[in-house]
Amino acid sequence: MSGNTIQRQSILSTIIIFVGFAFGAFNLLVLQKWALTTEQWGLTRVITESAILLASFATFGSTAIVAKFLPFYIRYQNEKSNDLPFITLFLAFIGIIVTTILVILFKPYILVIFGKNNPFFTKYYYVLPTFVIMQFVFVTLEIHAVYAGKIVWVNALKELLFRLLTSVILLGIGFKLLNFDQFMLLFAFIYLLPSAGLVYILLKNKRLPIVPRLSSLTQRLSSKLITLGAFVFTSSISQIAFTVCSTLFLAGKSGLKYAGVWAVADYFSTVLEVPMRSLQSSSIPLIAEYWRAKNYTGLLSLYKKSCINLLIVGFALGGVIILNAKNLTAYFGPDYQMMALPLIILVTSKWINLGTGLNSMIIQLSSKWRFDFFSNMIYSIVGIPLNFVLIHYYDMMGAAIANFIAMFVFNFVRSTFIWKRFGLFPYDFKFLKLCVISMLLIFGMSKIPYNLHYIIDAILRTSLFILIFLFIIIKGRFSNEINEIWKKWMMKIPVINKL
C-alpha cells in the first residue's frame, strides 16, 4: 500500500470517525442527558469498559498474530494454502468460550466488587457477557478487514454505525418507546449489526479463507507465532486494563454516578485521539513493508510527520475543550462541577501521547516487538496502582493525575527506545516551537472572562481560538501536509481560484 493510499484512507477514515464522534457527542450532550440518569449512563460505561477488556482477552492474542504475520502469508501463500485465518479464528473461538465461562463463574466475586454501591449493575449483569461476545466478533475480524484494504468500511461500522444505533435506542427510551429493561437488552446486542457487516465484507471479498490444515510455512513459524501471540496479547491486555481501570475503580469506590461523570471527561479527551486511531490502522501495511525492506528513511519520515501532524490536530481539539471546560460543566449541571480540572489534565496527557506519533506501531511491527510487551507492562505497573491509590484519596482528580503520570512515563520509555535502538528521532526546533506557541495561545485565551451565557461564550471562544490557531499553523508552515490540504481547499473557492 502506497503512502498516497494511506493518506487518502486516513483522511476518509478521519472524516468518518469525526462524523461518528459527532453522533457520539450528540448522544452524550443531548440524548443521554435527556434520556438517562447519571447512574444509568454510568452503568452503560462500566459495561462498555469491562467488555473492551474482556473481548480483547478473549482473542488469546490471535489479532496480534494476524497483524504481524498476515503480510508474509499473503506474499508466500496462495489463497488455498493460507491457513493463518483458520488458525487464528480457532484460537479466538477457544478464547471466547473460556472468557464467557469465567464471566459466569466469577459473577458472585465481580458483584462483591462493583455491586456493593451499584444495584443497577447487579440487576443487569447479564448484559456483560452478551456485550462481550458481540464485541469480540468485531474485534477478531477487524484486522482481517484492514488487510483486505477495507479500513474505511471498518471505521464506518465501528465508529459511525455503532453510535447511530446508540442514538436510536436512546431516542427509544427518551420518547418512552422503550423502558430501561428493553434499552439494556438492545444495548447488549448493539455490536450485532457492525459484526455482521464485517462478516459480509470479508466473505464478499473472499478475504477469509478457511484452510483447516497446517501449511509448511506455519510449521516453520509456529514458535514465532506462539511467542509473538503470547507477548503482544499480554501487552495489549495490560494496556487495556490500565485504560479501563479508572472507570472501574471509581464505580467500585464511589458508585456509578462518579463513573458516569468520569466517562464524560474521558470521552472529551479521547476525541483528541481520533486522527491517531485512523492513522494507526491505515499505516500498518506500510510500516510492516518498511521494516521488511529495512527502509529506515521511510520510517523516520512517517514517524516525524505523524508526531507533528497528530499534535497539531491535538492542540486544536484540546484547546477547544480546555477553553470550554467551564461551559461544559455549566451545561451538564451540578453533578458535573467536579469534572473541569480533571478534564484539563486528561487533555494534557493526550497531548503527550499524540506528540509521540506512531511509536506504538513502529515497535509492534519491528523485530524488537517484545519491547512493546515490556513497555506496556511498565504502563500498567505504574498506572494501575497509581489509579487505585490516588482514586482512594482524590476520586476523579486522582484518576486524572494517575493517567498523566503513567502516560508520560510510558511514552518517554518507548520514544527513548526507538531513538537509541533504531536511531529514529522525530523531534526538531519546529516541533518545540509548535508546543510553546500552542500552549501560550491556550493559556492566554483561558484568561478571557466568562461573562456570557455558556452557549454564546462557547461559540465565540471556540471560533476565535480556531481562527487564530489556524492562522498560526498555516503561516508558520509547521506541516507540509496541512498546508497542501489548505491550498487545495482554497483553490476550490471560486473567488480565490480566479486570483
Side-chain angles (χ1 to χ4, degrees):
M1 185 180 293
S2 68
N4 289 334
T5 302
I6 284 184
Q7 185 180 28
R8 287 195 301 270
Q9 290 198 352
S10 294
I11 291 172
L12 285 173
S13 293
T14 300
I15 292 171
I16 289 172
I17 293 173
F18 268 120
V19 173
F21 263 80
F23 276 99
F26 178 68
N27 294 340
L28 179 67
L29 296 172
V30 179
L31 295 185
Q32 74 87 9
K33 186 173 181 289
W34 164 58
L36 302 177
T37 66
T38 306
E39 288 78 9
Q40 289 171 336
W41 164 247
L43 172 65
T44 65
R45 298 317 305 161
V46 168
I47 289 175
T48 302
E49 301 286 345
S50 301
I52 291 171
L53 177 61
L54 292 169
S56 298
F57 173 80
T59 66
F60 273 19
S62 59
T63 55
I65 294 172
V66 174
K68 177 67 175 178
F69 289 100
L70 190 57
F72 291 93
Y73 276 78
I74 293 174
R75 181 179 293 272
Y76 297 111
Q77 299 280 81
N78 58 43
E79 186 177 313
K80 294 182 178 180
S81 60
N82 186 354
D83 57 335
L84 187 64
F86 173 78
I87 293 170
T88 52
L89 289 176
F90 182 73
L91 178 62
F93 178 71
I94 296 174
I96 191 60
I97 291 176
V98 171
T99 302
T100 304
I101 292 173
L102 291 176
V103 170
I104 294 171
L105 289 179
F106 282 88
K107 176 181 177 180
Y109 305 100
I110 296 172
L111 291 181
V112 167
I113 298 172
F114 296 109
K116 181 180 179 181
N117 298 317
N118 307 303
F120 270 160
F121 186 74
T122 302
K123 181 179 180 181
Y124 295 104
Y125 185 84
Y126 75 91
V127 173
L128 179 59
T130 309
F131 194 101
V132 168
I133 294 171
M134 295 294 104
Q135 189 176 39
F136 158 82
V137 175
F138 192 94
V139 169
T140 302
L141 298 179
E142 179 182 5
I143 188 63
H144 292 276
V146 170
Y147 272 112
K150 304 300 179 183
I151 180 62
V152 175
W153 281 105
V154 169
N155 284 318
L157 292 171
K158 180 171 64 174
E159 306 292 352
L160 184 55
L161 180 58
F162 172 78
R163 290 182 171 88
L164 281 171
L165 294 173
T166 303
S167 300
V168 170
I169 61 175
L170 283 171
L171 287 169
I173 191 172
F175 283 112
K176 311 301 181 185
L177 301 175
L178 302 171
N179 58 39
F180 191 66
D181 289 343
Q182 294 167 329
F183 170 85
M184 290 304 296
L185 180 61
L186 290 174
F187 180 73
F189 287 92
I190 203 163
Y191 263 100
L192 179 60
L193 283 179
S195 298
L198 269 188
V199 172
Y200 173 77
I201 289 170
L202 290 170
L203 292 178
K204 181 181 179 182
N205 291 274
K206 299 180 180 179
R207 295 306 298 264
L208 203 62
I210 303 300
V211 181
R213 59 180 181 275
L214 294 181
S215 65
S216 58
L217 179 60
T218 297
Q219 294 177 35
R220 290 198 307 270
L221 294 176
S222 58
S223 61
K224 292 183 178 180
L225 291 173
I226 295 170
T227 303
L228 179 132
F231 268 93
V232 178
F233 169 67
T234 309
S235 171
S236 300
I237 291 301
S238 65
Q239 187 176 33
I240 293 170
F242 169 73
T243 302
V244 304
C245 73
S246 300
T247 301
L248 302 183
F249 287 160
L250 280 168
K253 176 185 178 292
S254 304
L256 292 174
K257 178 179 175 180
Y258 272 75
V261 175
W262 171 262
V264 172
D266 187 55
Y267 176 86
F268 279 109
S269 67
T270 303
V271 171
L272 275 69
E273 295 181 324
V274 170
M276 174 176 274
R277 290 162 64 178
S278 63
L279 184 60
Q280 283 179 332
S281 298
S282 58
S283 66
I284 289 175
L286 182 61
I287 294 175
E289 180 61 26
Y290 279 160
W291 277 124
R292 188 196 66 80
K294 293 181 170 44
N295 186 349
Y296 288 91
T297 302
L299 280 170
L300 179 58
S301 176
L302 182 61
Y303 188 20
K304 188 172 184 178
K305 289 177 182 179
S306 70
C307 289
I308 198 161
N309 288 334
L310 288 174
L311 192 57
I312 287 172
V313 179
F315 275 131
L317 297 174
V320 170
I321 293 170
I322 288 175
L323 293 175
N324 287 286
K326 289 185 179 180
N327 292 326
L328 287 171
T329 57
Y331 171 78
F332 278 103
D335 285 349
Y336 291 83
Q337 292 303 308
M338 68 184 92
M339 183 181 73
L341 190 53
L343 174 59
I344 293 172
I345 296 173
L346 281 176
V347 167
T348 307
S349 71
K350 300 300 183 184
W351 286 340
I352 295 172
N353 197 34
L354 292 171
T356 58
L358 293 173
N359 66 1
S360 177
M361 305 312 302
I362 290 173
I363 294 174
Q364 286 181 20
L365 296 172
S366 74
S367 60
K368 303 299 179 184
W369 48 263
R370 289 178 180 83
F371 186 78
D372 184 67
F373 165 78
F374 295 114
S375 60
N376 276 305
M377 291 305 296
I378 292 172
Y379 191 36
S380 299
I381 290 170
V382 172
I384 294 177
L386 264 180
N387 263 281
F388 184 80
V389 173
L390 294 180
I391 285 173
H392 178 74
Y393 289 103
Y394 305 109
D395 288 321
M396 279 186 62
M397 182 60 70
I401 294 171
N403 275 264
F404 178 86
I405 294 172
M407 187 69 75
F408 176 81
V409 172
F410 175 65
N411 281 289
F412 177 79
V413 169
R414 291 166 78 94
S415 298
T416 302
F417 174 80
I418 293 175
W419 176 30
K420 296 296 185 181
R421 184 63 185 81
F422 304 117
L424 302 177
F425 189 77
Y427 306 113
D428 53 20
F429 179 73
K430 183 190 292 187
F431 185 91
L432 178 62
K433 186 167 72 169
L434 170 67
C435 295
V436 173
I437 292 175
S438 300
M439 286 189 281
L440 285 176
L441 174 62
I442 294 169
F443 177 77
M445 289 198 62
S446 70
K447 298 303 178 182
I448 299 175
Y450 292 80
N451 294 325
L452 302 173
H453 185 274
Y454 61 83
I455 295 179
I456 298 174
D457 183 275
I459 294 172
L460 295 176
R461 195 177 294 267
T462 299
S463 301
L464 180 60
F465 169 73
I466 291 297
L467 286 173
I468 296 174
F469 184 77
L470 185 60
F471 176 82
I472 290 172
I473 296 302
I474 298 300
K475 291 299 181 181
R477 304 194 66 84
F478 287 98
S479 166
N480 293 331
E481 292 74 27
I482 292 176
N483 276 77
E484 284 298 319
I485 293 172
W486 175 257
K487 184 179 179 181
K488 289 179 182 178
W489 285 355
M490 290 299 99
M491 293 303 292
K492 291 180 180 180
I493 299 175
V495 175
I496 294 177
N497 199 23
K498 292 178 181 179
L499 295 179

